[in-house]
Amino acid sequence: MFKKILCVDDDPVTLMILKMTMNKCNFTSIVETVADGTEAVLYYEELLQNPSIEAPELIFLDLNMPQMSGWAFLDIFIERFQKHFPETKVIILSSSIDPEDIRKSLVMRCVKEFISKPINTTTLQRLKSEMTLD
């Protein structure tokens, strides 16, 4: 089980389904959510200011969001935050079926997988068993 997960997605229905699915398979103790990349950047800036707050072990990241895309957040995360949180892994959770999105995401070291929405308990169980063994 993961201690803390951050979900970055502008769709409240997706966030609700993701939380319910995580609860169903005992995936994490804490699920935090933000609505876009801008909020995710602010979230990580707050973590830097408050070292006593535990960072998420895993980020579920949507790519297509209105204010700041997942791509823009990933660029900032890699440039500014990854050195402070090197253990944080990213799972792209997107409705995109563009092969270029998949290819681009998988060359980034912090991105561990590209998953198409919606996520299910089988996928979460697999992730839990594979990623907690690392």
Side-chain angles (χ1 to χ4, degrees):
M1 175 193 284
F2 292 95
K3 291 180 191 171
K4 189 186 225 181
I5 304 293
L6 176 65
C7 301
V8 184
D9 199 309
D10 63 318
D11 180 19
V13 173
T14 296
L15 291 172
M16 182 187 69
I17 291 169
L18 188 55
K19 282 181 170 180
M20 288 174 29
T21 308
M22 286 182 182
N23 285 337
K24 195 175 197 177
C25 66
N26 204 23
F27 190 77
T28 185
S29 301
I30 301 168
V31 179
E32 296 193 335
T33 62
V34 294
D36 62 37
T38 303
E39 287 184 23
V41 168
L42 294 173
Y43 177 93
Y44 272 93
E45 286 175 349
E46 184 177 336
L47 288 178
L48 287 179
Q49 304 268 329
N50 299 300
S52 62
I53 300 173
E54 192 167 355
E57 298 166 272
L58 191 61
I59 301 170
F60 281 91
L61 179 65
D62 186 23
L63 294 178
N64 300 309
M65 296 177 285
Q67 205 159 4
M68 179 189 287
S69 72
W71 292 125
F73 167 72
L74 259 179
D75 289 341
I76 293 168
F77 179 81
I78 290 166
E79 180 184 316
R80 291 176 44 197
F81 303 118
Q82 190 173 29
K83 64 184 170 235
H84 301 286
F85 307 102
E87 301 300 315
T88 301
K89 299 172 179 126
V90 178
I91 302 291
I92 303 294
L93 183 60
S94 181
S95 55
S96 172
I97 56 170
D98 185 348
E100 182 59 22
D101 282 345
I102 297 167
R103 187 204 61 74
K104 182 178 174 184
S105 70
L106 296 178
V107 298
M108 297 177 166
R109 277 193 15 228
C110 61
V111 176
K112 299 304 174 190
E113 195 160 336
F114 187 105
I115 298 172
S116 294
K117 290 181 182 180
I119 201 160
N120 57 45
T121 55
T122 304
T123 302
L124 284 177
Q125 293 286 22
R126 179 183 58 75
L127 288 173
K128 185 167 70 170
S129 67
E130 290 175 2
M131 297 182 93
T132 54
L133 294 175
D134 288 346

